[in-house]
Amino acid sequence: MGGDAALPPDAGFSTRAIHAGQEPDAATGAVVVPIYQTSTYAQEALGRNKGYEYARTHNLTRASLERNLAALEGGRFGLCFASGLAATNTLLQSLSAGDHVVAGHNLYGGTFRLMERVLKRHGLAFSFIPTTDPEAVERAFTPATRMLFVETPTNPMMQLTDIAAVSERAHRRGIKVVVDNTFMTPFFQRPLSLGADVVMHSVTKYLNGHSDMVGGALVTSDEALAESLRFLQNAAGGVPGPMDCWLALRGTKTLAVRMQRHEENARVLARALAGHARVAAVFYPGLPTHPQHALAQRQASGFGGMISFIPGDGSLEAGRRTFDRFRIFARAESLGGVESLVCHPASMTHASVPRETRLAMGFADGLLRLSVGIEDAKDLLADLEQALQGI
Ligand SMILES: *Cc1c(COP(=O)(O)O)cnc(C)c1O
């Protein structure tokens, strides 16, 4: 669906990842899409050009990435942005003052901040609710609701939303459904095929996969919406640079093999954590003990590489003792790169969430989140084990 004449319509995921949007360069035959590092394009004569005028509007490296991501998500249209938040901001700019959005209560902190502290001032209204319950989602809809925005699984509690169930309820009222698919990637989960209208990505994470750029994307098959987003992409201008698009294109070529390895390693670590005497709780949808394990199996083809767990008694001290001992896992925010990271969400990514709100979700002071990389599982396991000896 990437519009590539040479690709068979039933081409597999990795074939699309490597070829969609990336036919050899027309001018030279270069196999790798060039970095079109230009801000403008020369006209042949007055009013005559090659379809390119100015790089905020048209850039071929960006267009390649957009077609590539659309093909991976099984959507007709892809749009890329300077960051995940720029993508979400542009998407929400398609709404108007007075419109209402229902969103998950455990969204990525930056998404919550954009909605609550920026777009509310522009007249949009938001309800933040636990989207894990499709009935609660339906109850939150009002006559002014235009959009449902969910993240599944959530960060760091790894709670799932049933995409098909909430999409059906939203569509009965003409409400558009947006899924932030950053954690699962299209390799494991394709929200459009489950009924969602738009998929949003922080390309910064797994899609690029090498922790060396920041980017965002939207994918949809809704032509009218795509047209409005294309207008806003140019009118509001949150576009990515060609170098970053090129890095992301290099990243998606290995998405399948990376995701397989991320998950393989995550399963090893989740199993070890689940049976560990110094661990109070583990949150990973791939564990049969996860309350939504059946839903995870139904709506995704894998469980991903993100794990949260509560060391020792859940206290900040137990978290700190474990966190500070990691040697291979780098202590850092972000996720989805080849290197393993450990994060203390309460003081890092979720510092703005009130403590009572956190605790009510089972999000203990000492909770740690792992972005499991693609190093050798035995080394990650040994690092985790020695870190837990700190308690
Ligand atoms: C990182 C992230 C974002 C924001 O993306 P940026 O590229 O940092 O702007 C949104 N959602 C999720 C789930 C993320 O992890």
Side-chain angles (χ1 to χ4, degrees), residues 7-29:
L7 273 187
D10 62 344
F13 188 89
S14 287
T15 306
R16 280 179 281 140
I18 293 166
H19 296 289
Q22 307 180 77
E23 45 288 304
D25 179 48
T28 64

Side-chain angles (χ1 to χ4, degrees), residues 188-380:
F188 287 129
Q189 175 171 280
R190 263 157 262 157
L192 299 181
S193 74
L194 296 165
D197 301 283
V198 183
V199 173
M200 176 264 151
H201 274 285
S202 170
V203 176
T204 316
K205 314 294 167 53
Y206 287 109
L207 295 182
N208 177 61
H210 294 74
S211 308
D212 52 13
M213 56 76 80
V214 172
L218 301 172
V219 177
T220 183
S221 290
D222 179 329
E223 191 161 4
L225 180 62
E227 221 167 89
S228 133
L229 295 173
R230 186 67 72 193
F231 167 79
L232 287 167
Q233 181 191 41
N234 183 54
V239 295
M243 176 79 194
D244 286 341
C245 293
W246 184 87
L247 285 167
L249 272 172
R250 177 147 87 164
T252 59
K253 286 177 185 160
T254 55
L255 183 63
V257 290
R258 283 188 287 109
M259 292 316 291
Q260 280 162 356
R261 179 63 170 261
H262 280 296
E263 188 190 54
E264 206 178 288
N265 285 353
R267 283 183 193 231
V268 170
L269 298 195
R271 238 179 277 128
L273 285 164
H276 205 287
R278 295 175 189 233
V279 172
V282 188
F283 307 96
Y284 183 66
L287 289 173
T289 48
H290 187 285
Q292 294 170 297
H293 182 60
L295 172 60
Q297 286 177 306
R298 198 163 70 237
Q299 78 178 4
S301 60
F303 310 107
M306 299 299 298
I307 306 172
S308 295
F309 69 102
I310 300 178
D313 60 3
S315 64
L316 177 61
E317 201 42 37
R320 185 201 311 278
R321 283 171 185 269
T322 310
F323 184 78
D324 286 348
R325 281 174 66 99
F326 279 99
R327 293 174 190 154
I328 295 175
F329 281 81
R331 285 170 285 277
E333 296 194 11
S334 197
L335 61 112
V338 292
E339 61 284 303
S340 292
L341 304 177
V342 57
C343 162
H344 176 245
S347 70
M348 297 163 73
T349 51
H350 292 66
S352 61
V353 180
R355 181 163 187 261
E356 311 75 65
T357 313
R358 273 202 289 106
L359 296 181
M361 281 190 264
F363 180 166
D365 294 333
L367 180 138
L368 299 182
R369 187 192 77 182
L370 304 177
S371 172
V372 181
I374 64 170
E375 300 95 334
D376 293 284
K378 72 168 179 57
D379 296 328
L380 299 180

Side-chain angles (χ1 to χ4, degrees), residues 129-143:
I129 61 147
T131 55
T132 44
D133 175 9
E135 306 303 329
V137 170
E138 188 154 32
R139 281 195 300 274
F141 291 152
T142 74

Side-chain angles (χ1 to χ4, degrees), residues 83-85 108 111 151 180 182-183 200 202 204-205 214-215 335:
S83 68
L85 285 176
Y108 175 75
T111 307
E151 221 173 277
D180 179 338
T182 301
F183 269 37
M200 176 264 151
S202 170
T204 316
K205 314 294 167 53
V214 172
L335 61 112

Side-chain angles (χ1 to χ4, degrees), residues 1-8 11-24 31 33 60-75 248-250 252-253:
M1 300 241 279
D4 298 82
L7 273 187
F13 188 89
S14 287
T15 306
R16 280 179 281 140
I18 293 166
H19 296 289
Q22 307 180 77
E23 45 288 304
V31 167
V33 171
L60 263 178
T61 318
R62 184 176 91 214
S64 288
L65 178 62
E66 290 177 333
R67 284 161 55 209
N68 184 252
L69 298 182
L72 295 185
E73 284 289 359
L249 272 172
R250 177 147 87 164
T252 59
K253 286 177 185 160

